[in-house]
């Protein structure tokens, strides 16, 4: 019922920039928050950045000062501006939307991921 689609990944040199986008759509009653997670081969998935409906944000220590998360006015689209990229940023980046389909309890919905590779 909820579709979460990421885009914007690719290959970039160290020190370069990428901008990821994520759109949540479907029969959504309310989106409570959206966030970006990443997972590299052999590693656990980790939170990169998240933003709530009141624009409160939080970032992983490894990306503070380099990445910035934002959303549109409808609060159904989230962006991740990634600057000063490092090889250790290489991972599949996943978007997660925490939403209610009705006035009932909220649930998490995940996108399929987009590959980010930082390499010279």
């Amino acid at each position: 019922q909820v579709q979460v689609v990421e885009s914007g990944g690719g290959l970039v040199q160290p020190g370069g920039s990428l901008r990821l986008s994520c759109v949540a759509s479907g029969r959504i009653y309310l989106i409570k928050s959206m966030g970006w997670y990443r997972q590299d081969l052999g590693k656990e998935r980790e939170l990169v950045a998240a933003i709530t409906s009141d624009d409160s944000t939080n970032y992983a220590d490894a990306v503070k000062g380099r990445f910035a998360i934002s959303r549109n006015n409808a609060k159904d689209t989230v962006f991740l501006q990634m600057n000063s990229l490092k090889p250790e940023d290489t991972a599949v980046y996943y978007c997660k939307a925490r939403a209610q389909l009705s006035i009932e309890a909220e649930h998490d919905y995940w996108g399929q991921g987009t590959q980010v590779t930082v390499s010279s």
Side-chain angles (χ1 to χ4, degrees):
Q1 301 183 74
V2 176
Q3 296 80 48
V4 179
V5 181
E6 308 99 329
S7 62
L11 175 65
V12 65
Q13 294 181 325
S17 298
L18 284 174
R19 182 177 174 86
L20 306 183
S21 299
C22 172
V23 180
S25 61
R27 301 295 187 267
I28 302 172
Y29 175 76
L30 178 67
I31 297 177
K32 300 301 294 288
S33 66
M34 298 184 72
W36 289 96
Y37 296 72
R38 67 186 182 186
Q39 184 172 23
D40 201 1
L41 292 176
K43 299 181 179 180
E44 297 292 323
R45 186 172 300 187
E46 64 178 1
L47 173 69
V48 177
I51 186 168
T52 65
S53 59
D54 65 353
D55 289 336
S56 177
T57 60
N58 66 285
Y59 296 89
D61 288 341
V63 306
K64 288 181 179 178
R66 299 189 297 119
F67 291 10
I69 189 170
S70 61
R71 52 84 175 166
N72 67 345
N73 290 336
K75 303 178 181 179
D76 59 0
T77 302
V78 68
F79 307 94
L80 185 67
Q81 179 66 46
M82 304 185 294
N83 299 322
S84 301
L85 283 162
K86 305 175 180 180
E88 51 263 45
D89 294 320
T90 296
V92 177
Y93 283 70
Y94 297 91
C95 180
K96 185 187 78 174
R98 177 164 291 177
Q100 297 176 160
L101 302 186
S102 67
I103 200 169
E104 299 176 348
E106 61 196 31
H107 301 277
D108 291 337
Y109 302 90
W110 292 87
Q112 75 284 359
T114 184
Q115 176 71 48
V116 172
T117 302
V118 184
S119 176
S120 59

